[in-house]
Amino acid sequence: MKHPYIFTPLLLLPSIASATLSCTPSAFQAHLPDNARVGFTHEVPSNGTHEVPSGGTHEGPSNGTLEVPTSNIAYPTSPQGLPALCAVQINVTRSPESSFSFGLFLPQQNWNKRFLAVGNGGFAGGINYLDMAAGVGYGFATMSTDTGHNSTSGDLSWALEAEERRKDFGWRAMHESVVLAKQITQAYYGDADKVEYSYFSGCSTGGRQGLKEVQMFPEDFDGVLAGAPAWWTTHLQTWTIRVALHNLPVEAEWHIPVELFSVVEAEVLKQCDGEDGLVDGVITDPRRCDFFAEALLCGPDVVNQTTAGCLTAPQIGTLEKIYSDYVDVNQTAGKRVPVVRPPWSIEAEYIRLRIPAILPRPGPDWDFYDFNYSIVELADRTDPGNCNADDFDLRPFSARGGKLLTYHGASDALISTGSSSYFYRSVLKTLESRGIEVDPFYRHFLVPGMQHCFGTSEAMNAPWYFAGAGQAGTLSERPGSVHSTPDFEDREHDALIALMEWTEKGIAPDFLVATKWRNDTLVDEVWRQRKICPYPAWARFVGGGADPDVAGSWRCEGLYDMVAQHE
């Protein structure tokens, strides 16, 4: 059953635009600069499939000529159930050492006169056609860049000793793809139908890309939806190494093996569930829980920790380090320095150990066991590719009327949930001390129980879907055929529509509604829906016999409501 207030972007529009340019390489080549050429064009029929190219690699410039990338290793899924569109790939030579490509989906009917760029994930290089498919379902002309390389997230060989490629990844490929893609979009539909609004949607690296655009190129987008942004690259990646070392080597007495992670999760739920007024397996606000790790301490006669559900004293020490602020020692000054604040949410149930190679290395034989604060200092000095999105002065974006909506899963075990709250508070301090209110243009949402960008653990089954970046591609047995929130295509249940309403009509989102189906892939029966609230507010169960699986049974409580609960 549909929500009583139905909203789709198409209902906003006084008219619908259609194509005037033919979907051929020659037609598009005529509108490209000298350093760009068409990789391919083809028409996708209504309810059709875009076959993602396979085979080959992204070789980059060779004797002044760009080698056309013919594979998409990071995003191999071919989206299905598409509307009729023209698919285009453009290849751009950026420097003697670097190049990038971007894809465009241009609706042949029912274009909504809006442009949407979608982001990438991790260090992956490839065109994100699956997220483009979700965007084109609304009627957007959609774009994605490969960020200048073509590889999986774990292959970082492209970045070593390659600063031009790092720049493409850090900011350049996205911005220059956006600028050229807008020009091509305008040419395709003709001057009679102008691009009226431009939007961005991305999560993880995509969230960082969105914040970077807001900071460096505030004119690129009218509205930005940025999830779980990996914005502090030089500290996030060094922190990942630090956390890994907390739990290594595996032979150490303090090492927490994977089979004990569920033990930690169960104890966190036991202590922290119920702070929102309801024991239901979902921790609404981890900030309200003072987790007492010592409750997990094994007795002296325990033989099997997994069966007993306990940790040794050294393992509890490891857990406390992981859940504490990362503070390291400046080797030169001999003092403790905060590096990342705050850490993972105590709700996160996995510990991911990764050693990314994009960071500058002291030498090819450097051993990560030699890690210390000097590596953080080196990363900060060099900031490879200018990846950090750490400019908190968002006055130019605010001044031009831009709107920024960020979100982060409270069970994110890959990027610190608190890093997004830290970013929000830093913007708040920077702007409101200058007399500029943040709330009218920037709101941040914490999503209880959601993992990295999408999904939830089986222990929680928390509502997590609200049409954020990358989420639609996880639904349906026909990847790419879903957009928005099925049967709830409105500004409450769809964060992108909420951003559009805010940008174009001035209706700010006071809450969003997250959805969980019995089977998320099949999008069958709605199991739970719950309000998620703009930080620092949180959702509280109204009680009184209300159905906790209905969004109306939850209310957003602000900061002073939270304080009153503890008085």
Side-chain angles (χ1 to χ4, degrees), residues 204-276:
S204 193
T205 284
R208 180 192 64 80
Q209 290 170 320
L211 294 183
K212 197 70 175 174
E213 282 283 310
V214 165
Q215 294 163 11
M216 291 185 69
F217 308 102
E219 70 284 354
D220 277 2
F221 297 108
D222 301 295
V224 169
L225 180 63
W231 64 272
W232 206 356
T233 305
T234 59
H235 284 208
L236 171 62
Q237 306 310 326
T238 49
W239 173 55
T240 303
I241 299 174
R242 180 73 274 169
V243 171
L245 292 174
H246 284 326
N247 203 36
L248 290 175
V250 295
E251 300 84 9
E253 62 176 353
W254 60 80
H255 176 71
I256 304 174
V258 172
E259 55 265 27
L260 290 179
F261 290 176
S262 60
V263 171
V264 176
E265 179 184 20
E267 183 62 28
V268 170
L269 282 171
K270 184 178 178 180
Q271 292 188 31
C272 302
D273 192 4
E275 287 281 358
D276 55 9

Side-chain angles (χ1 to χ4, degrees), residues 13 20 65 112 142 151 154 266 270 296 328 334 366 386 411 447 527 534 544:
L13 305 176
T20 60
T65 302
N112 65 9
T142 60
S151 71
K270 184 178 178 180
L296 287 167
D328 216 321
W366 179 70
N386 189 16
S411 284
V447 187
W527 182 359

Side-chain angles (χ1 to χ4, degrees), residues 18-25 27-28 38 40-51 79 82-89 104-109 136 188-189:
S18 58
T20 60
L21 199 68
S22 63
C23 186
T24 62
F28 285 97
V38 177
F40 65 77
T41 68
H42 70 261
E43 295 186 75
V44 177
S46 179
N47 198 33
T49 297
H50 170 67
E51 296 292 343
L82 297 170
L85 58 84
C86 176
V88 186
Q89 180 173 306
L104 266 172
F105 280 170
L106 299 165
Q108 293 184 323
Q109 299 174 345
V136 81
Y188 184 71
Y189 293 110

Side-chain angles (χ1 to χ4, degrees), residues 504-554:
E504 300 178 24
K505 292 186 174 183
I507 303 173
D510 292 325
F511 65 88
L512 297 171
V513 174
T515 298
K516 174 76 175 74
W517 291 271
R518 293 286 178 182
N519 187 314
D520 291 328
T521 300
L522 298 178
V523 197
D524 52 5
E525 175 189 356
V526 172
W527 182 359
R528 289 172 160 176
Q529 289 186 320
R530 186 166 301 185
K531 287 181 180 176
I532 52 178
C533 306
Y535 181 81
W538 70 297
R540 186 169 183 83
F541 182 53
V542 298
D547 184 350
D549 294 333
V550 174
S553 300
W554 298 81

